[in-house]
Amino acid sequence: AAVQQPARRTAMRPQINPIYLPQEVAFDGPQKPGTIVIDTHQNFLYLVEKDGKARRYGVGTGKPGFEWSGTHKITDKRVWPDWRPPAVMIKREAAKGRYLPTYLAGGEENPLGARALYLGTTEYRIHGTNQPWTIGGAVSSGCIRMRNEDVVDLYERVNVGTTVVVI
């Protein structure tokens, strides 16, 4: 008799709201094509295209107290980036009983996910995540979080020097 395989167990995770999946949308902002615009109130990132259009992605943004706005350029791009949490973040999380490493190599377990786009001289970046169910929420310490497949797509479309406007 054939041995029956045990049923595969998959952890139930909340599904992402389809509104946060990448899509072409109308865009009437003043920014020129090639600019990234991040709306931290609606949790969308727009890559401005020609003819009043943009590619829109859902993002996770800064939780209350970690919101910010401004204009920066992408200063670096990395594939499966290493993560060195800032000392202030390590201290803040330790106070809550959550101990962060001082260094974590790039890979599946790394919270920066598959790609990172570094913003100006800030500690902020647009990066992937190993928690895709958080997209659409105010969840980060100020970074802009995307699903890994979305950040890979964006990474291929933009270059160092791209303007990023956070509103």
Side-chain angles (χ1 to χ4, degrees):
V3 176
Q4 188 158 355
Q5 293 297 317
R8 246 182 100 90
R9 272 203 189 153
T10 54
M12 289 303 293
R13 296 265 183 227
Q15 292 300 306
I16 188 168
N17 182 328
I19 196 171
Y20 296 116
L21 298 176
Q23 52 196 289
E24 287 284 324
V25 296
F27 185 85
D28 65 357
Q31 296 84 5
K32 62 182 201 256
T35 304
I36 292 172
V37 178
I38 300 166
D39 179 338
T40 59
H41 302 287
Q42 301 290 324
N43 290 326
F44 290 122
L45 179 152
Y46 298 89
L47 177 57
V48 181
E49 297 174 337
K50 295 194 253 323
D51 304 321
K53 295 199 178 317
R55 186 162 176 80
R56 187 183 79 186
Y57 305 85
V59 295
T61 55
K63 55 192 170 212
F66 292 90
E67 309 96 334
W68 62 279
S69 61
T71 300
H72 294 285
K73 298 251 189 239
I74 294 174
T75 49
D76 196 11
K77 293 171 55 174
R78 302 233 178 108
V79 173
W80 292 106
D82 294 341
W83 184 45
R84 289 177 176 79
V88 62
M89 181 188 283
I90 292 173
K91 186 176 177 183
R92 186 175 63 240
E93 293 298 317
K96 295 189 257 180
R98 184 168 168 243
Y99 297 95
L100 298 178
T102 53
Y103 168 83
L104 187 61
E108 298 277 337
E109 300 302 309
N110 189 309
L112 296 187
R115 303 287 183 275
L117 304 168
Y118 295 75
L119 301 179
T121 57
T122 73
E123 290 184 331
Y124 300 125
R125 51 201 78 131
I126 300 167
H127 64 76
T129 183
N130 57 8
Q131 301 179 316
W133 58 90
T134 62
I135 300 307
V139 291
S140 76
S141 294
C143 283
I144 307 302
R145 187 183 289 187
M146 301 178 75
R147 296 185 317 152
N148 280 333
E149 53 268 48
D150 296 347
V151 79
V152 167
D153 182 68
L154 181 66
Y155 184 99
E156 302 298 331
R157 295 170 186 265
V158 300
N159 297 309
V160 169
T162 295
T163 299
V164 177
V165 180
V166 178
I167 55 176

